[in-house]
Amino acid sequence: MNRPSRFLRKLLDSVASNNEVAASDVMRATEQLEDDVLRQRLLNLIHQLNQDENDLRLARDDVQGVSIKLA
């Protein structure tokens, strides 16, 4: 695997990890809210962060697959 591919994989993994941590932090904060409308909006945000995390990890795996095919 070449250097740009490794860098891209690390970057995608880092952003995915940040999304995972952010989703957990927002979830903890959401549990303490009494405003149902705000709670629902934050739950939707958490869902989107988790979806993005999954998409980023799939993209990271695709970068590895492309590099192996080229090598």
Side-chain angles (χ1 to χ4, degrees):
M1 186 180 314
N2 59 24
R3 179 174 276 173
S5 295
R6 280 194 303 267
F7 174 76
L8 183 57
R9 290 189 74 234
K10 285 182 180 183
L11 178 64
L12 290 168
D13 196 46
S14 175
V15 174
S17 293
N18 289 343
N19 275 20
E20 184 178 24
V21 169
S24 295
D25 289 345
V26 173
M27 179 61 83
R28 281 191 287 278
T30 301
E31 291 172 350
Q32 300 175 11
L33 291 176
E34 296 190 21
D35 183 336
D36 289 336
V37 174
L38 181 57
R39 182 180 301 131
Q40 187 57 51
R41 290 180 69 188
L42 289 173
L43 289 172
N44 291 339
L45 173 66
I46 292 164
H47 177 72
Q48 188 60 53
L49 286 168
N50 286 326
Q51 288 286 86
D52 290 347
E53 174 203 353
N54 187 49
D55 292 344
L56 288 164
R57 293 204 193 276
L58 289 173
R60 177 203 60 196
D61 294 343
D62 285 346
V63 168
Q64 180 180 13
V66 169
S67 296
I68 289 171
K69 290 177 188 173
L70 294 175

